[in-house]
Amino acid sequence: MISKQEILSKLDIKNFYSSYLPSMKFNGSGMAQALCIFHNDSKPSLSVNLTTGQFKCFGCDSKGSIFDFYQKKHNADFKTALTDLARQAGISTEPQKKVVKTYNYTDVAGNLFFQVIRYEPKGFLQRRPDGKGEWIYNLKDVRLVPYNLPELIKADSVIIVEGEKDVETLKVIGITATCNPMGAGKWRPEYNQYFKGKKIAIIPDNDEPGKNHALQVAKNLKGIAESVKIIDLPDLKDKEDITDFLKSGGTKEKLIEIIEATPEWIPEKSSFQNIGMPLIKLGDLFKEPDAVVDYIIDGLLPAGGFSVIASKPKVGKSTLVRNSALSVAKGETFLDRSVNKGAVIYYALEEKRAEVKKHFRDMGADGTEEIYIYAGGATVDALKQIKKVAESLKPSLIVIDPLFRLTKIKDGNDYAQVTAALDPILRLARDTGAHVLCVHHTSKGDRQAGDSVLGSTAIFSSVDTLLIMKRHENYRTIQTVQRYGDDLEETTLHFDKDTRTVSIGQSKQDEDIGTIGESIIEFLKGQEEPVNEPAIMNEIEGRTGLKRKALRELVKVEKVLREGKGGKGDPYKYSCSLVPDTIWEQENENFKNELSPDNQKEYACTGFFAKNSEWEQAKDNSGTSKLTLQECPKKHAIRSDCNERFDVKIREGFQGLQRYCKVNNSFCEVTR
């Protein structure tokens, strides 16, 4: 599969955005601004990074990657965006082999579901129409059916072969035949319905995979079809098939004679291939194509997967899963991750119907989304009903809220009970291809990762993704433990009380460092003299390592001043600059006006600071100094509201100094 990185490295990002944003202007530093096309924008509020392709609107908060932009603009899924952007980048998504034949899989009326392409040298690929005259090279969300379905439905007797070429060969001599898509070993139970009451003859290719496939099909159709036979054609060489039989002199009459003489197939109880768990040789397993993980939510919830989101009560589990449900139904990003759009079934097994309706409405749903909701208790045959509905609606996501309301497990700590209760849910996910997301609780105490899940460890053992939410003093977090993809470290979540939506923040560690930094600044503001690091560590709460990181960061961004050499005789001491960044910025704009002759009368003792030796001695190599005076030694007038201590700082790019009044929280003196 083509990677996003490969596309970004070859795509002209500037031209791409320019085609959608005619108002876009470039600032020369790899950034651009434009009127946002996702809301009624009157001033440029959309920012684009022309290096990474990321975009963000500061008006409607639309944001994400260039792939997210394409999806949102065209209401497309991620794979469609990937394919089209690859085409724009000049990367071919079409196979390079020569196409020698195409086979259409249709419904009974002949409407195209998907197509199988045969290449030379021999190879196969499946694709589906995108509704716009192009192809999508996967079968996601496509209904799979046997080949030649219209003729199959009308026939009383049908031959099942291994591939479409053989079906076409038999069609030429007037025999109705069919096969399943994707070849040997890929028969699905849902194909069985089309063969009810029919006489079936299975003709395998003359090799081990072909014979195993014939047994698999026969086992599926036994008891459904009127009769099932497995035909052994004479004089076939290794790997030859019905087409080779007819090419080498076989006739329609000879074939019918062989079929009529073959007895019905009877399962052999001793056969390894006819037991409930058929075996496969390791060598044959190696020949199977490698599985590719498709995601409903990129890197988080795999298609056909099973996940559990767990937390203590009232942390926001249901809020988060409903946000995920709406994102999947709309095809919009969830927690800054791309989403494959699809239908959603939501089972609210303990929530009031009115609350579910209100929440989706608050989040901005308008009712056109393909979300199907059940609010009420779980029936005895709930899982059977869920599977039946899922087979009909073919959802991408099924939400069960909460898990134990569905399973009705008597003892949640009993490993065997829990395993038996979860097995049907796992099969539901695997059989339907939908991701099943269940809401659950964590246990008491402060256990970590999988140990925090309430009940037996069988729950953690069964899931593909475990999502854990926690409530802290100032925020809530989420982290994951995953079978596929990378685990998400504990990361903060932001809950919007008005829209009841959830967005992802920074990591918990970065959040804690920021909070500690604010505490350090508040502490230093209350100190009359600079203090050493042990005094700060002793006063501020938190882990020592985080406190030190926070202090170093504050020094780096010049929100905290550090003096001293750091040795035993001259330890580092820290103080808080009293001049807020906003004031420096404001004064920067007005600096020249403040120095005008008309304004000089507002300042006192301008000559003292330019010449006084005490000031020269106080300056350090960083260009910053702290000077404390109570009055001017030359008895010059000082404004009455400024006769307190003040700080002096050299501003980069200017020749003057500014005096900051702690009383009025403003500047009261400028010197040249």
Side-chain angles (χ1 to χ4, degrees):
M1 184 176 180
I2 301 169
S3 69
K4 294 190 291 185
Q5 289 73 22
E6 182 183 0
I7 293 172
L8 289 172
S9 67
K10 297 181 179 180
L11 182 67
D12 190 328
I13 296 175
K14 182 177 179 180
N15 283 348
F16 170 86
Y17 276 110
S18 295
S19 67
Y20 292 99
L21 305 170
S23 64
M24 190 163 70
K25 295 182 179 180
F26 312 97
N27 63 10
S29 61
M31 300 294 293
Q33 284 188 312
L35 294 175
C36 179
I37 61 173
F38 301 125
H39 76 285
N40 188 14
D41 198 4
S42 59
K43 60 180 181 179
S45 58
L46 184 75
S47 177
V48 177
N49 187 316
L50 299 175
T51 301
T52 67
Q54 294 284 321
F55 75 97
K56 178 177 175 60
C57 176
F58 293 91
C60 66
D61 201 37
S62 295
K63 60 184 176 181
S65 67
I66 196 170
F67 303 93
D68 294 321
F69 184 95
Y70 183 98
Q71 287 181 255
K72 189 174 181 67
K73 170 63 179 174
H74 296 283
N75 193 27
D77 61 20
F78 174 71
K79 288 188 177 179
T80 301
L82 194 75
T83 300
D84 197 29
L85 288 176
R87 179 184 58 77
Q88 293 186 40
I91 302 171
S92 175
T93 58
E94 293 281 350
Q96 298 303 309
K97 297 179 181 180
K98 180 182 178 182
V99 176
V100 294
K101 187 69 176 176
T102 57
Y103 304 102
N104 292 335
Y105 281 73
T106 70
D107 63 12
V108 175
N111 298 309
L112 182 63
F113 282 147
F114 61 95
Q115 194 177 76
V116 171
I117 310 169
R118 182 185 179 95
Y119 295 102
E120 195 64 48
K122 186 177 180 181
F124 299 91
L125 194 64
Q126 295 79 37
R127 64 185 183 182
R128 56 188 169 96
D130 68 352
K132 303 174 184 177
E134 299 292 337
W135 296 99
I136 300 173
Y137 285 80
N138 63 55
L139 297 184
K140 177 175 172 56
D141 297 329
V142 173
R143 178 185 170 191
L144 300 182
V145 296
Y147 184 58
N148 197 26
L149 185 60
E151 298 303 316
L152 163 62
I153 294 297
K154 293 186 288 186
D156 294 323
S157 298
V158 179
I159 292 179
I160 299 177
V161 291
E162 192 170 313
E164 297 88 0
K165 178 196 70 174
D166 295 333
V167 175
E168 297 298 321
T169 297
L170 291 169
K171 186 184 293 187
V172 171
I173 62 173
I175 293 178
T176 300
T178 187
C179 66
N180 60 271
M182 293 175 283
K186 299 298 182 2
W187 188 270
R188 293 184 171 213
E190 54 260 39
Y191 303 149
N192 298 349
Q193 58 182 310
Y194 302 109
F195 300 88
K196 186 175 182 179
K198 299 182 185 295
K199 295 178 181 179
I200 304 301
I202 305 169
I203 303 180
D205 288 3
N206 190 32
D207 55 20
E208 195 67 24
K211 293 176 181 178
N212 290 338
H213 178 64
L215 288 171
Q216 181 190 23
V217 176
K219 177 180 179 296
N220 270 272
L221 297 183
K222 188 66 175 178
I224 295 175
E226 179 183 326
S227 63
V228 177
K229 296 181 178 183
I230 296 179
I231 311 303
D232 185 12
L233 294 175
D235 303 324
L236 286 184
K237 297 178 182 179
D238 185 43
K239 297 185 181 300
E240 287 191 335
D241 53 30
I242 180 63
T243 299
D244 297 305
F245 170 79
L246 293 172
K247 282 183 178 179
S248 60
T251 64
K252 176 180 178 180
E253 292 72 24
K254 179 63 175 177
L255 177 61
I256 293 174
E257 180 184 332
I258 293 171
I259 293 174
E260 290 178 345
T262 300
E264 286 192 39
W265 176 77
I266 300 174
E268 297 179 18
K269 294 182 179 179
S270 60
S271 173
F272 288 140
Q273 300 303 327
N274 288 296
I275 60 177
M277 297 186 294
L279 303 176
I280 183 172
K281 287 183 66 177
L282 180 61
D284 293 331
L285 180 62
F286 285 161
K287 294 175 184 177
E288 292 184 357
D290 293 336
V292 177
V293 179
D294 289 324
Y295 286 96
I296 304 302
I297 298 176
D298 187 40
L300 192 66
L301 303 185
F306 170 47
S307 66
V308 165
I309 179 169
S311 76
K312 290 182 169 59
K314 309 301 180 185
V315 175
K317 300 182 296 292
S318 294
T319 299
L320 189 67
V321 297
R322 288 180 200 146
N323 271 257
S324 70
L326 187 58
S327 294
V328 171
K330 287 186 171 184
E332 296 178 349
T333 56
F334 174 71
L335 301 184
D336 288 348
R337 294 170 182 261
S338 60
V339 168
N340 276 323
K341 184 179 181 180
V344 178
I345 302 176
Y346 184 87
Y347 289 94
L349 303 181
E350 66 176 10
E351 196 79 71
K352 292 180 180 179
R353 190 186 190 96
E355 168 57 22
V356 176
K357 178 177 73 172
K358 185 177 185 304
H359 189 188
F360 276 103
R361 182 171 287 165
D362 289 345
M363 288 189 295
D366 58 17
T368 61
E369 300 83 6
E370 199 173 357
I371 301 177
Y372 303 89
I373 297 169
Y374 170 82
T379 60
V380 175
D381 64 342
L383 273 168
K384 290 183 179 179
Q385 291 191 42
I386 293 172
K387 185 173 183 180
K388 185 176 181 179
V389 171
E391 289 173 346
S392 174
L393 294 178
K394 300 189 181 302
S396 292
L397 178 65
I398 300 172
V399 177
I400 298 171
D401 184 4
L403 172 63
F404 276 6
R405 289 281 187 180
L406 175 69
T407 57
K408 300 184 185 298
I409 299 172
K410 292 182 179 179
D411 184 359
N413 293 307
D414 187 308
Y415 193 95
Q417 281 190 42
V418 173
T419 300
L422 294 182
D423 184 63
I425 299 177
L426 283 166
R427 284 190 281 110
L428 170 68
R430 305 305 191 242
D431 292 346
T432 64
H435 186 94
V436 180
L437 171 59
C438 296
V439 178
H440 192 48
H441 297 285
T442 52
S443 58
K444 296 179 180 179
D446 192 25
R447 297 179 182 178
Q448 300 299 312
D451 293 335
S452 66
V453 179
L454 179 66
S456 169
T457 55
I459 297 175
F460 178 46
S461 300
S462 300
V463 299
D464 296 307
T465 303
L466 174 64
L467 304 96
I468 304 166
M469 293 180 65
K470 292 182 181 180
R471 182 188 289 274
H472 299 270
E473 183 177 353
N474 299 316
Y475 51 80
R476 282 170 277 191
T477 62
I478 186 171
Q479 66 181 115
T480 67
V481 182
Q482 302 180 204
R483 192 187 310 274
Y484 309 106
D486 298 326
D487 294 346
L488 173 68
E489 67 173 311
E490 190 170 8
T491 303
T492 57
L493 294 173
H494 302 299
F495 287 72
D496 189 307
K497 292 182 180 179
D498 295 326
T499 63
R500 301 176 71 181
T501 54
V502 184
S503 59
I504 198 162
Q506 57 187 343
S507 70
K508 178 180 181 297
Q509 176 172 297
D510 289 342
E511 186 79 24
D512 289 343
I513 289 174
T515 302
I516 291 171
E518 292 174 1
S519 299
I520 291 174
I521 289 175
E522 288 303 314
F523 168 67
L524 291 178
K525 282 182 178 179
Q527 308 305 305
E528 294 187 358
E529 299 293 339
V531 297
N532 58 23
E533 186 170 315
I536 297 173
M537 297 298 109
N538 184 60
E539 181 67 25
I540 304 301
E541 294 184 358
R543 290 165 45 196
T544 301
L546 295 183
K547 289 189 286 187
R548 286 175 176 163
K549 286 183 178 180
L551 183 59
R552 303 294 183 267
E553 182 64 24
L554 291 172
V555 172
K556 181 179 178 181
V557 300
E558 297 185 355
K559 289 187 177 181
V560 167
L561 304 177
R562 183 174 69 186
E563 58 186 66
K565 297 181 179 180
K568 290 185 177 180
D570 188 15
Y572 287 137
K573 290 187 177 182
Y574 302 87
S575 60
C576 182
S577 172
L578 296 175
V579 184
D581 292 338
T582 54
I583 294 177
W584 287 118
E585 293 170 2
Q586 178 182 352
E587 290 300 311
N588 183 38
E589 296 177 3
N590 301 324
F591 192 70
K592 292 182 179 180
N593 292 335
E594 290 176 336
L595 290 176
S596 67
D598 292 338
N599 290 332
Q600 286 295 323
K601 61 184 179 180
E602 295 292 331
Y603 308 107
C605 199
T606 58
F608 171 73
F609 294 101
K611 302 176 182 178
N612 188 275
S613 60
E614 182 180 355
W615 162 246
E616 295 295 334
Q617 294 171 4
K619 286 194 297 185
D620 60 21
N621 293 332
S622 68
T624 300
S625 177
K626 190 166 186 177
L627 183 62
T628 301
L629 294 175
Q630 292 294 330
E631 60 181 357
C632 174
K634 295 188 177 183
K635 305 300 181 183
H636 291 157
I638 296 179
R639 283 167 50 174
S640 60
D641 57 355
C642 295
N643 57 355
E644 296 286 340
R645 292 182 178 181
F646 56 84
D647 293 335
V648 177
K649 181 173 181 178
I650 296 177
R651 288 174 43 172
E652 186 175 351
F654 292 93
Q655 299 301 315
L657 308 173
Q658 287 191 317
R659 175 177 172 186
Y660 180 71
C661 172
K662 298 202 308 186
V663 175
N664 282 349
N665 196 37
S666 62
F667 292 90
C668 65
E669 182 162 14
V670 177
T671 69
R672 288 188 181 276

